[in-house]
């Protein structure tokens, strides 16, 4: 909310700012609210607010300027059903 408020103070509506940058009207709002939507837009927002990325989004950007990964580990966390059946037959 602080980021949105500061952008509105300086540039008016978020949609107007996005259109000024040649983006869709929801691009700035989406970049603020949804991590990983557009790293380029996040960088533009940081430049517009004259803040480093890691100050605005410490959970999204490391202090060295590299993005923090949002990849989810999709490996199975439980034993497969067929392996359980094999154990039951053996017992």
């Amino acid at each position: 909310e602080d980021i949105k408020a500061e952008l509105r103070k300086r540039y008016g509506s978020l949609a107007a700012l996005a259109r000024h940058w040649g983006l869709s009207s929801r691009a700035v709002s989406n970049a603020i609210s949804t991590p990983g939507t557009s790293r380029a837009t996040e960088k533009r927002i940081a430049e517009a607010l004259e803040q480093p990325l890691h100050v605005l989004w410490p959970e999204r950007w490391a202090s060295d300027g590299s993005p923090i990964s949002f990849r989810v580990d999709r490996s199975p966390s439980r034993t497969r059903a067929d392996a359980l059946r094999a154990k039951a037959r053996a017992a």
Side-chain angles (χ1 to χ4, degrees):
E1 292 300 318
D2 293 336
I3 295 170
K4 290 179 187 178
E6 190 62 33
L7 286 171
R8 286 186 188 120
K9 285 181 201 174
R10 293 184 187 197
Y11 303 102
S13 74
L14 300 179
L17 180 60
R19 286 190 299 270
H20 173 73
W21 286 341
L23 305 170
S24 71
S25 61
R26 298 270 311 142
V28 173
S29 181
N30 287 342
I32 292 170
S33 63
T34 309
T37 301
S38 174
R39 298 206 190 275
T41 304
E42 289 176 2
K43 289 178 182 180
R44 283 182 125 176
I45 292 168
E47 289 171 4
L49 295 178
E50 300 170 351
Q51 293 285 327
L53 287 163
H54 71 277
V55 171
L56 291 178
W57 292 290
E59 70 284 354
R60 299 182 192 186
W61 294 88
S63 60
D64 65 355
S66 62
I68 296 173
S69 175
F70 286 97
R71 296 190 75 202
V72 177
D73 180 20
R74 301 216 186 268
S75 60
S77 59
R78 64 183 183 98
T79 307
R80 293 184 6 221
D82 58 338
L84 292 174
R85 286 188 204 105
K87 289 180 183 177
R89 282 189 296 253

